[in-house]
Amino acid sequence: MARLSGKRVFLDLLKQEGADVIFGNPGTTELPLMDALATEPGLRYVLALQEAALMAMADGYAQASGRLTVVNLHVTPGLGNAMGMLYNAQKAGSPILVTAGQHEQTFTVTEPILWADLPPIARPLVKWSSEVRRLADLPRLVHRAAKTALAPPTGPVFLSLPGDILLAEGDVDLQAPTRVAPRLRGDAEAIAAAAQLLAKAERPVILAGDAVAQSRAHAELVALAEALGAVVYTEFIPNTASFPASHPLFRGAMVRLAKPVHDTLAQHDLVLSVGADLFALSLPSDIEPMPAGMPVIHLDTDPWELGKNYPARVAILGDPKATLPDLTAAATAAMTAGARAAARERLARAGKMVGEERAALREKARSEAGAVPVRPLALFEAMGRSLPKDVVVIEEALSSAPGIRQMIDSDDPQSFFGLRGGGIGWGLPAAIGAKLALPSRPVVAFVGDGSAMYTCQALWTAAHYRIAVVIVILNNTSYRILKQRLNNLRGHAAQQDSFIGMDLVDPPIDFVGLARSLGVRAERAKTVAETVDLVRTGVAGDGPLLIDLAVERNFKPV
């Protein structure tokens, strides 16, 4: 064993675990690490100017790369600032090792400034949370943290690093990483039972969740959907391309309200959920979204999700990529000749129906192409025709988002990332993290103006590191989604046409001036054509570009 300092041990452990980037914002308790990084060429330090932006940036990197991602925060306020975006990372299942510097243990009894007991603060939003108390335990705890973050279902973990541990020296055994093999194959009896139900179903529907993209199981789910002739919806708040958007069985996402979901599912006689949540709705309702008596087959990597809200006739704990081929083979074998013929007919009908729906949506979008302020659907349709095929789309457009997956073909597991947790401010920094993870692919983010203001500090990071990401601000000068929902309540606000605290005017936010002040090139667009031209320029450029686009402000049904 070599005699090493804690700070040196920690960096060596991160490299053992495959990390090559640390996202951070340093303070006094992180100074030992910053000192060690001065002579560490194997780890890149990416500075962000506020912890919410920092956490979302790391989340974007983790989702796009699928690798262990490291964040270093500054004691209690730093962890506190990051908590909203840590919630998003938890919901997205992002494999992030969140660390925070802590005061020296001999000092904490005095309750110094910025101190608090950090692991309990982080614990509700992570898979595992702890603090290092001895230098000898540092390797064991870092390896435990990394193993836990990457084990299915993946997710963030937290480790508090007291200053005395980082400054201490001793003979330390670095040990070695452990990886839990992710390809858990579903139980054979459960698969056989599910296959019997699928073989007899006359109107099956598939709900595809993030576990499909995370396990790189597009081809496997396509094979099953085609064999069944089943249309595919995404889960309600998808943060990945869980099914190829250009496929003729893809119907996008349902409206996150109980009655529309119930009415859609009532057209079917069996629900197969592949890694999808059942259900993360937007508002409470007296109507259950799942029709009474609906048979459900539920496959997931997380046992907590199986049967969580609705009983599953068959619940299969397994990885989609490893399990779906077995399910497809068993279901196909169990189908009669008549059932196979019916599946082929369903496939043809569904393809025709989806094609007609998509064509009608495109026609509607093109009819709105000349509108000023811009209609988002028209923008997305134009983007779908002009963006490179390998583009990575980051979406936090909220009320402007409907139609984006149908208009822009996101066909591979790393082609689309959206806001899963719902804590706004994620999209702008997440796009920067995604571009760092996928430097050879163009990254374009569509972000609402209200969301962008939560983490606009991330623009400085994009400028400082010359990160060639394109950010389109869909600027309706309001919290439009809140106006929509408040208007639907038909209360005082709707009657008086008075929506308190929901307008971002007087003064309007100058996103162009803001971006330029942080070193980012920025332009203002008024039309779809201007935006398309600017995005093309940005995609071909070697630095960040922000486009401030005025979009329609109307929030009332027309």
PDB file of all heavy atoms in Angstrom, residues 68-104:
ATOM      1  N   LEU A  68     -20.904   7.151 -15.001  1.00  0.00           N
ATOM      2  CA  LEU A  68     -20.861   7.789 -13.691  1.00  0.00           C
ATOM      3  C   LEU A  68     -20.384   9.225 -13.863  1.00  0.00           C
ATOM      4  O   LEU A  68     -19.364   9.493 -14.495  1.00  0.00           O
ATOM      5  CB  LEU A  68     -19.913   7.043 -12.758  1.00  0.00           C
ATOM      6  CG  LEU A  68     -19.808   7.632 -11.345  1.00  0.00           C
ATOM      7  CD1 LEU A  68     -21.088   7.369 -10.562  1.00  0.00           C
ATOM      8  CD2 LEU A  68     -18.597   7.070 -10.609  1.00  0.00           C
ATOM      9  N   THR A  69     -21.141  10.152 -13.301  1.00  0.00           N
ATOM     10  CA  THR A  69     -20.844  11.575 -13.411  1.00  0.00           C
ATOM     11  C   THR A  69     -20.652  12.135 -12.013  1.00  0.00           C
ATOM     12  O   THR A  69     -21.396  11.778 -11.091  1.00  0.00           O
ATOM     13  CB  THR A  69     -21.982  12.304 -14.134  1.00  0.00           C
ATOM     14  OG1 THR A  69     -22.142  11.706 -15.431  1.00  0.00           O
ATOM     15  CG2 THR A  69     -21.690  13.783 -14.299  1.00  0.00           C
ATOM     16  N   VAL A  70     -19.668  13.010 -11.845  1.00  0.00           N
ATOM     17  CA  VAL A  70     -19.282  13.491 -10.522  1.00  0.00           C
ATOM     18  C   VAL A  70     -19.591  14.978 -10.391  1.00  0.00           C
ATOM     19  O   VAL A  70     -19.248  15.776 -11.270  1.00  0.00           O
ATOM     20  CB  VAL A  70     -17.788  13.242 -10.255  1.00  0.00           C
ATOM     21  CG1 VAL A  70     -17.402  13.725  -8.858  1.00  0.00           C
ATOM     22  CG2 VAL A  70     -17.456  11.762 -10.412  1.00  0.00           C
ATOM     23  N   VAL A  71     -20.228  15.334  -9.289  1.00  0.00           N
ATOM     24  CA  VAL A  71     -20.525  16.725  -8.957  1.00  0.00           C
ATOM     25  C   VAL A  71     -19.912  17.021  -7.601  1.00  0.00           C
ATOM     26  O   VAL A  71     -20.031  16.217  -6.670  1.00  0.00           O
ATOM     27  CB  VAL A  71     -22.045  16.972  -8.882  1.00  0.00           C
ATOM     28  CG1 VAL A  71     -22.337  18.371  -8.380  1.00  0.00           C
ATOM     29  CG2 VAL A  71     -22.683  16.765 -10.234  1.00  0.00           C
ATOM     30  N   ASN A  72     -19.274  18.190  -7.481  1.00  0.00           N
ATOM     31  CA  ASN A  72     -18.706  18.598  -6.194  1.00  0.00           C
ATOM     32  C   ASN A  72     -19.323  19.931  -5.776  1.00  0.00           C
ATOM     33  O   ASN A  72     -19.153  20.950  -6.446  1.00  0.00           O
ATOM     34  CB  ASN A  72     -17.184  18.705  -6.292  1.00  0.00           C
ATOM     35  CG  ASN A  72     -16.533  18.953  -4.942  1.00  0.00           C
ATOM     36  OD1 ASN A  72     -15.712  19.838  -4.787  1.00  0.00           O
ATOM     37  ND2 ASN A  72     -16.897  18.163  -3.943  1.00  0.00           N
ATOM     38  N   LEU A  73     -20.064  19.909  -4.653  1.00  0.00           N
ATOM     39  CA  LEU A  73     -20.771  21.073  -4.144  1.00  0.00           C
ATOM     40  C   LEU A  73     -20.072  21.627  -2.906  1.00  0.00           C
ATOM     41  O   LEU A  73     -19.186  20.995  -2.345  1.00  0.00           O
ATOM     42  CB  LEU A  73     -22.215  20.697  -3.798  1.00  0.00           C
ATOM     43  CG  LEU A  73     -23.028  20.027  -4.911  1.00  0.00           C
ATOM     44  CD1 LEU A  73     -24.339  19.474  -4.352  1.00  0.00           C
ATOM     45  CD2 LEU A  73     -23.292  20.999  -6.043  1.00  0.00           C
ATOM     46  N   HIS A  74     -20.537  22.794  -2.460  1.00  0.00           N
ATOM     47  CA  HIS A  74     -19.941  23.463  -1.304  1.00  0.00           C
ATOM     48  C   HIS A  74     -20.887  23.432  -0.115  1.00  0.00           C
ATOM     49  O   HIS A  74     -21.888  24.147  -0.070  1.00  0.00           O
ATOM     50  CB  HIS A  74     -19.587  24.908  -1.664  1.00  0.00           C
ATOM     51  CG  HIS A  74     -19.000  25.687  -0.529  1.00  0.00           C
ATOM     52  ND1 HIS A  74     -17.992  25.197   0.266  1.00  0.00           N
ATOM     53  CD2 HIS A  74     -19.283  26.925  -0.047  1.00  0.00           C
ATOM     54  CE1 HIS A  74     -17.657  26.097   1.170  1.00  0.00           C
ATOM     55  NE2 HIS A  74     -18.446  27.153   1.014  1.00  0.00           N
ATOM     56  N   VAL A  75     -20.603  22.586   0.832  1.00  0.00           N
ATOM     57  CA  VAL A  75     -21.315  22.432   2.109  1.00  0.00           C
ATOM     58  C   VAL A  75     -22.832  22.626   1.987  1.00  0.00           C
ATOM     59  O   VAL A  75     -23.430  22.337   0.957  1.00  0.00           O
ATOM     60  CB  VAL A  75     -20.697  23.338   3.208  1.00  0.00           C
ATOM     61  CG1 VAL A  75     -19.380  22.760   3.688  1.00  0.00           C
ATOM     62  CG2 VAL A  75     -20.500  24.761   2.745  1.00  0.00           C
ATOM     63  N   THR A  76     -23.466  23.105   3.057  1.00  0.00           N
ATOM     64  CA  THR A  76     -24.928  23.101   3.118  1.00  0.00           C
ATOM     65  C   THR A  76     -25.600  24.003   2.088  1.00  0.00           C
ATOM     66  O   THR A  76     -26.512  23.561   1.382  1.00  0.00           O
ATOM     67  CB  THR A  76     -25.389  23.479   4.530  1.00  0.00           C
ATOM     68  OG1 THR A  76     -24.648  22.718   5.490  1.00  0.00           O
ATOM     69  CG2 THR A  76     -26.871  23.198   4.702  1.00  0.00           C
ATOM     70  N   PRO A  77     -25.213  25.268   1.954  1.00  0.00           N
ATOM     71  CA  PRO A  77     -25.890  26.097   0.944  1.00  0.00           C
ATOM     72  C   PRO A  77     -25.703  25.574  -0.476  1.00  0.00           C
ATOM     73  O   PRO A  77     -26.625  25.667  -1.295  1.00  0.00           O
ATOM     74  CB  PRO A  77     -25.251  27.475   1.131  1.00  0.00           C
ATOM     75  CG  PRO A  77     -24.788  27.485   2.545  1.00  0.00           C
ATOM     76  CD  PRO A  77     -24.320  26.085   2.794  1.00  0.00           C
ATOM     77  N   GLY A  78     -24.529  25.033  -0.774  1.00  0.00           N
ATOM     78  CA  GLY A  78     -24.317  24.484  -2.112  1.00  0.00           C
ATOM     79  C   GLY A  78     -25.225  23.303  -2.385  1.00  0.00           C
ATOM     80  O   GLY A  78     -25.834  23.203  -3.455  1.00  0.00           O
ATOM     81  N   LEU A  79     -25.338  22.400  -1.406  1.00  0.00           N
ATOM     82  CA  LEU A  79     -26.255  21.265  -1.563  1.00  0.00           C
ATOM     83  C   LEU A  79     -27.698  21.757  -1.656  1.00  0.00           C
ATOM     84  O   LEU A  79     -28.480  21.272  -2.476  1.00  0.00           O
ATOM     85  CB  LEU A  79     -26.089  20.304  -0.383  1.00  0.00           C
ATOM     86  CG  LEU A  79     -27.031  19.098  -0.343  1.00  0.00           C
ATOM     87  CD1 LEU A  79     -26.921  18.255  -1.603  1.00  0.00           C
ATOM     88  CD2 LEU A  79     -26.765  18.258   0.908  1.00  0.00           C
ATOM     89  N   GLY A  80     -28.024  22.750  -0.829  1.00  0.00           N
ATOM     90  CA  GLY A  80     -29.382  23.293  -0.869  1.00  0.00           C
ATOM     91  C   GLY A  80     -29.721  23.891  -2.218  1.00  0.00           C
ATOM     92  O   GLY A  80     -30.817  23.672  -2.759  1.00  0.00           O
ATOM     93  N   ASN A  81     -28.806  24.655  -2.790  1.00  0.00           N
ATOM     94  CA  ASN A  81     -29.054  25.251  -4.106  1.00  0.00           C
ATOM     95  C   ASN A  81     -29.265  24.192  -5.181  1.00  0.00           C
ATOM     96  O   ASN A  81     -29.957  24.430  -6.175  1.00  0.00           O
ATOM     97  CB  ASN A  81     -27.885  26.146  -4.511  1.00  0.00           C
ATOM     98  CG  ASN A  81     -27.854  27.454  -3.757  1.00  0.00           C
ATOM     99  OD1 ASN A  81     -28.867  27.877  -3.201  1.00  0.00           O
ATOM    100  ND2 ASN A  81     -26.705  28.102  -3.726  1.00  0.00           N
ATOM    101  N   ALA A  82     -28.640  23.032  -5.006  1.00  0.00           N
ATOM    102  CA  ALA A  82     -28.699  21.972  -6.024  1.00  0.00           C
ATOM    103  C   ALA A  82     -29.919  21.068  -5.890  1.00  0.00           C
ATOM    104  O   ALA A  82     -30.198  20.277  -6.791  1.00  0.00           O
ATOM    105  CB  ALA A  82     -27.436  21.118  -5.949  1.00  0.00           C
ATOM    106  N   MET A  83     -30.666  21.177  -4.803  1.00  0.00           N
ATOM    107  CA  MET A  83     -31.677  20.168  -4.485  1.00  0.00           C
ATOM    108  C   MET A  83     -32.782  20.060  -5.533  1.00  0.00           C
ATOM    109  O   MET A  83     -33.255  18.966  -5.847  1.00  0.00           O
ATOM    110  CB  MET A  83     -32.290  20.446  -3.114  1.00  0.00           C
ATOM    111  CG  MET A  83     -31.326  20.222  -1.956  1.00  0.00           C
ATOM    112  SD  MET A  83     -30.956  18.487  -1.656  1.00  0.00           S
ATOM    113  CE  MET A  83     -32.340  18.042  -0.613  1.00  0.00           C
ATOM    114  N   GLY A  84     -33.249  21.183  -6.081  1.00  0.00           N
ATOM    115  CA  GLY A  84     -34.317  21.111  -7.079  1.00  0.00           C
ATOM    116  C   GLY A  84     -33.887  20.318  -8.297  1.00  0.00           C
ATOM    117  O   GLY A  84     -34.648  19.494  -8.835  1.00  0.00           O
ATOM    118  N   MET A  85     -32.657  20.540  -8.758  1.00  0.00           N
ATOM    119  CA  MET A  85     -32.163  19.800  -9.922  1.00  0.00           C
ATOM    120  C   MET A  85     -31.760  18.371  -9.544  1.00  0.00           C
ATOM    121  O   MET A  85     -31.809  17.463 -10.376  1.00  0.00           O
ATOM    122  CB  MET A  85     -30.982  20.538 -10.550  1.00  0.00           C
ATOM    123  CG  MET A  85     -31.340  21.900 -11.118  1.00  0.00           C
ATOM    124  SD  MET A  85     -32.608  21.853 -12.407  1.00  0.00           S
ATOM    125  CE  MET A  85     -33.884  22.872 -11.653  1.00  0.00           C
ATOM    126  N   LEU A  86     -31.386  18.146  -8.277  1.00  0.00           N
ATOM    127  CA  LEU A  86     -31.131  16.788  -7.819  1.00  0.00           C
ATOM    128  C   LEU A  86     -32.425  15.971  -7.845  1.00  0.00           C
ATOM    129  O   LEU A  86     -32.410  14.777  -8.156  1.00  0.00           O
ATOM    130  CB  LEU A  86     -30.532  16.810  -6.409  1.00  0.00           C
ATOM    131  CG  LEU A  86     -30.191  15.466  -5.770  1.00  0.00           C
ATOM    132  CD1 LEU A  86     -29.253  14.645  -6.646  1.00  0.00           C
ATOM    133  CD2 LEU A  86     -29.595  15.672  -4.377  1.00  0.00           C
ATOM    134  N   TYR A  87     -33.550  16.614  -7.537  1.00  0.00           N
ATOM    135  CA  TYR A  87     -34.849  15.943  -7.645  1.00  0.00           C
ATOM    136  C   TYR A  87     -35.087  15.476  -9.082  1.00  0.00           C
ATOM    137  O   TYR A  87     -35.522  14.336  -9.325  1.00  0.00           O
ATOM    138  CB  TYR A  87     -35.956  16.900  -7.211  1.00  0.00           C
ATOM    139  CG  TYR A  87     -37.347  16.377  -7.440  1.00  0.00           C
ATOM    140  CD1 TYR A  87     -37.958  15.528  -6.516  1.00  0.00           C
ATOM    141  CD2 TYR A  87     -38.060  16.716  -8.591  1.00  0.00           C
ATOM    142  CE1 TYR A  87     -39.239  15.043  -6.735  1.00  0.00           C
ATOM    143  CE2 TYR A  87     -39.334  16.234  -8.813  1.00  0.00           C
ATOM    144  CZ  TYR A  87     -39.927  15.398  -7.887  1.00  0.00           C
ATOM    145  OH  TYR A  87     -41.193  14.909  -8.102  1.00  0.00           O
ATOM    146  N   ASN A  88     -34.802  16.351 -10.054  1.00  0.00           N
ATOM    147  CA  ASN A  88     -34.946  15.954 -11.459  1.00  0.00           C
ATOM    148  C   ASN A  88     -34.055  14.771 -11.790  1.00  0.00           C
ATOM    149  O   ASN A  88     -34.461  13.841 -12.499  1.00  0.00           O
ATOM    150  CB  ASN A  88     -34.600  17.134 -12.375  1.00  0.00           C
ATOM    151  CG  ASN A  88     -35.635  18.237 -12.350  1.00  0.00           C
ATOM    152  OD1 ASN A  88     -36.809  18.001 -12.060  1.00  0.00           O
ATOM    153  ND2 ASN A  88     -35.209  19.445 -12.648  1.00  0.00           N
ATOM    154  N   ALA A  89     -32.809  14.798 -11.298  1.00  0.00           N
ATOM    155  CA  ALA A  89     -31.871  13.702 -11.573  1.00  0.00           C
ATOM    156  C   ALA A  89     -32.360  12.397 -10.969  1.00  0.00           C
ATOM    157  O   ALA A  89     -32.195  11.321 -11.561  1.00  0.00           O
ATOM    158  CB  ALA A  89     -30.487  14.061 -11.043  1.00  0.00           C
ATOM    159  N   GLN A  90     -32.960  12.477  -9.788  1.00  0.00           N
ATOM    160  CA  GLN A  90     -33.520  11.272  -9.170  1.00  0.00           C
ATOM    161  C   GLN A  90     -34.628  10.681 -10.037  1.00  0.00           C
ATOM    162  O   GLN A  90     -34.655   9.468 -10.287  1.00  0.00           O
ATOM    163  CB  GLN A  90     -34.076  11.607  -7.786  1.00  0.00           C
ATOM    164  CG  GLN A  90     -34.709  10.422  -7.072  1.00  0.00           C
ATOM    165  CD  GLN A  90     -35.632  10.852  -5.949  1.00  0.00           C
ATOM    166  OE1 GLN A  90     -36.450  11.752  -6.102  1.00  0.00           O
ATOM    167  NE2 GLN A  90     -35.500  10.205  -4.802  1.00  0.00           N
ATOM    168  N   LYS A  91     -35.537  11.538 -10.511  1.00  0.00           N
ATOM    169  CA  LYS A  91     -36.645  11.050 -11.324  1.00  0.00           C
ATOM    170  C   LYS A  91     -36.159  10.492 -12.657  1.00  0.00           C
ATOM    171  O   LYS A  91     -36.772   9.575 -13.217  1.00  0.00           O
ATOM    172  CB  LYS A  91     -37.652  12.175 -11.555  1.00  0.00           C
ATOM    173  CG  LYS A  91     -38.391  12.610 -10.298  1.00  0.00           C
ATOM    174  CD  LYS A  91     -39.165  11.471  -9.676  1.00  0.00           C
ATOM    175  CE  LYS A  91     -39.925  11.886  -8.448  1.00  0.00           C
ATOM    176  NZ  LYS A  91     -40.628  10.750  -7.794  1.00  0.00           N
ATOM    177  N   ALA A  92     -35.062  11.043 -13.178  1.00  0.00           N
ATOM    178  CA  ALA A  92     -34.511  10.568 -14.445  1.00  0.00           C
ATOM    179  C   ALA A  92     -33.620   9.344 -14.276  1.00  0.00           C
ATOM    180  O   ALA A  92     -33.215   8.739 -15.270  1.00  0.00           O
ATOM    181  CB  ALA A  92     -33.720  11.687 -15.123  1.00  0.00           C
ATOM    182  N   GLY A  93     -33.292   8.976 -13.043  1.00  0.00           N
ATOM    183  CA  GLY A  93     -32.407   7.837 -12.814  1.00  0.00           C
ATOM    184  C   GLY A  93     -30.988   8.080 -13.283  1.00  0.00           C
ATOM    185  O   GLY A  93     -30.320   7.168 -13.783  1.00  0.00           O
ATOM    186  N   SER A  94     -30.487   9.288 -13.089  1.00  0.00           N
ATOM    187  CA  SER A  94     -29.156   9.641 -13.584  1.00  0.00           C
ATOM    188  C   SER A  94     -28.071   9.136 -12.635  1.00  0.00           C
ATOM    189  O   SER A  94     -28.125   9.412 -11.428  1.00  0.00           O
ATOM    190  CB  SER A  94     -29.043  11.164 -13.729  1.00  0.00           C
ATOM    191  OG  SER A  94     -30.004  11.647 -14.630  1.00  0.00           O
ATOM    192  N   PRO A  95     -27.059   8.426 -13.152  1.00  0.00           N
ATOM    193  CA  PRO A  95     -26.002   7.878 -12.292  1.00  0.00           C
ATOM    194  C   PRO A  95     -24.971   8.936 -11.911  1.00  0.00           C
ATOM    195  O   PRO A  95     -23.928   9.071 -12.549  1.00  0.00           O
ATOM    196  CB  PRO A  95     -25.389   6.778 -13.160  1.00  0.00           C
ATOM    197  CG  PRO A  95     -25.587   7.258 -14.561  1.00  0.00           C
ATOM    198  CD  PRO A  95     -26.901   8.011 -14.557  1.00  0.00           C
ATOM    199  N   ILE A  96     -25.260   9.701 -10.870  1.00  0.00           N
ATOM    200  CA  ILE A  96     -24.416  10.823 -10.462  1.00  0.00           C
ATOM    201  C   ILE A  96     -23.910  10.606  -9.049  1.00  0.00           C
ATOM    202  O   ILE A  96     -24.694  10.310  -8.135  1.00  0.00           O
ATOM    203  CB  ILE A  96     -25.195  12.150 -10.529  1.00  0.00           C
ATOM    204  CG1 ILE A  96     -25.768  12.377 -11.928  1.00  0.00           C
ATOM    205  CG2 ILE A  96     -24.317  13.318 -10.127  1.00  0.00           C
ATOM    206  CD1 ILE A  96     -26.668  13.596 -12.032  1.00  0.00           C
ATOM    207  N   LEU A  97     -22.602  10.760  -8.868  1.00  0.00           N
ATOM    208  CA  LEU A  97     -22.006  10.803  -7.541  1.00  0.00           C
ATOM    209  C   LEU A  97     -21.944  12.268  -7.121  1.00  0.00           C
ATOM    210  O   LEU A  97     -21.144  13.037  -7.643  1.00  0.00           O
ATOM    211  CB  LEU A  97     -20.606  10.189  -7.547  1.00  0.00           C
ATOM    212  CG  LEU A  97     -19.766  10.394  -6.274  1.00  0.00           C
ATOM    213  CD1 LEU A  97     -20.492   9.901  -5.031  1.00  0.00           C
ATOM    214  CD2 LEU A  97     -18.403   9.724  -6.412  1.00  0.00           C
ATOM    215  N   VAL A  98     -22.843  12.654  -6.225  1.00  0.00           N
ATOM    216  CA  VAL A  98     -22.882  14.016  -5.708  1.00  0.00           C
ATOM    217  C   VAL A  98     -22.028  14.062  -4.450  1.00  0.00           C
ATOM    218  O   VAL A  98     -22.271  13.307  -3.501  1.00  0.00           O
ATOM    219  CB  VAL A  98     -24.320  14.453  -5.386  1.00  0.00           C
ATOM    220  CG1 VAL A  98     -24.346  15.898  -4.904  1.00  0.00           C
ATOM    221  CG2 VAL A  98     -25.224  14.272  -6.596  1.00  0.00           C
ATOM    222  N   THR A  99     -21.023  14.915  -4.448  1.00  0.00           N
ATOM    223  CA  THR A  99     -20.185  15.081  -3.265  1.00  0.00           C
ATOM    224  C   THR A  99     -20.285  16.523  -2.790  1.00  0.00           C
ATOM    225  O   THR A  99     -20.618  17.431  -3.547  1.00  0.00           O
ATOM    226  CB  THR A  99     -18.716  14.749  -3.562  1.00  0.00           C
ATOM    227  OG1 THR A  99     -18.200  15.696  -4.519  1.00  0.00           O
ATOM    228  CG2 THR A  99     -18.570  13.346  -4.116  1.00  0.00           C
ATOM    229  N   ALA A 100     -20.008  16.709  -1.519  1.00  0.00           N
ATOM    230  CA  ALA A 100     -19.960  18.062  -0.971  1.00  0.00           C
ATOM    231  C   ALA A 100     -18.838  18.119   0.050  1.00  0.00           C
ATOM    232  O   ALA A 100     -18.649  17.185   0.838  1.00  0.00           O
ATOM    233  CB  ALA A 100     -21.280  18.437  -0.314  1.00  0.00           C
ATOM    234  N   GLY A 101     -18.083  19.205   0.002  1.00  0.00           N
ATOM    235  CA  GLY A 101     -17.088  19.419   1.040  1.00  0.00           C
ATOM    236  C   GLY A 101     -17.770  19.658   2.373  1.00  0.00           C
ATOM    237  O   GLY A 101     -18.871  20.200   2.442  1.00  0.00           O
ATOM    238  N   GLN A 102     -17.095  19.246   3.430  1.00  0.00           N
ATOM    239  CA  GLN A 102     -17.616  19.444   4.786  1.00  0.00           C
ATOM    240  C   GLN A 102     -16.492  19.969   5.671  1.00  0.00           C
ATOM    241  O   GLN A 102     -15.316  19.721   5.409  1.00  0.00           O
ATOM    242  CB  GLN A 102     -18.169  18.123   5.334  1.00  0.00           C
ATOM    243  CG  GLN A 102     -18.694  18.146   6.752  1.00  0.00           C
ATOM    244  CD  GLN A 102     -19.847  19.112   6.950  1.00  0.00           C
ATOM    245  OE1 GLN A 102     -19.636  20.336   6.936  1.00  0.00           O
ATOM    246  NE2 GLN A 102     -21.056  18.576   7.115  1.00  0.00           N
ATOM    247  N   HIS A 103     -16.852  20.723   6.701  1.00  0.00           N
ATOM    248  CA  HIS A 103     -15.853  21.192   7.655  1.00  0.00           C
ATOM    249  C   HIS A 103     -15.119  20.018   8.300  1.00  0.00           C
ATOM    250  O   HIS A 103     -15.641  18.892   8.355  1.00  0.00           O
ATOM    251  CB  HIS A 103     -16.519  22.023   8.758  1.00  0.00           C
ATOM    252  CG  HIS A 103     -16.962  23.381   8.302  1.00  0.00           C
ATOM    253  ND1 HIS A 103     -16.071  24.381   7.983  1.00  0.00           N
ATOM    254  CD2 HIS A 103     -18.197  23.911   8.135  1.00  0.00           C
ATOM    255  CE1 HIS A 103     -16.737  25.474   7.637  1.00  0.00           C
ATOM    256  NE2 HIS A 103     -18.040  25.216   7.709  1.00  0.00           N
ATOM    257  N   GLU A 104     -13.942  20.286   8.803  1.00  0.00           N
ATOM    258  CA  GLU A 104     -13.188  19.240   9.504  1.00  0.00           C
ATOM    259  C   GLU A 104     -13.990  18.728  10.699  1.00  0.00           C
ATOM    260  O   GLU A 104     -14.651  19.493  11.403  1.00  0.00           O
ATOM    261  CB  GLU A 104     -11.833  19.787   9.943  1.00  0.00           C
ATOM    262  CG  GLU A 104     -10.952  20.176   8.756  1.00  0.00           C
ATOM    263  CD  GLU A 104      -9.561  20.602   9.174  1.00  0.00           C
ATOM    264  OE1 GLU A 104      -9.151  20.261  10.304  1.00  0.00           O
ATOM    265  OE2 GLU A 104      -8.878  21.249   8.374  1.00  0.00           O
TER     266      GLU A 104
END
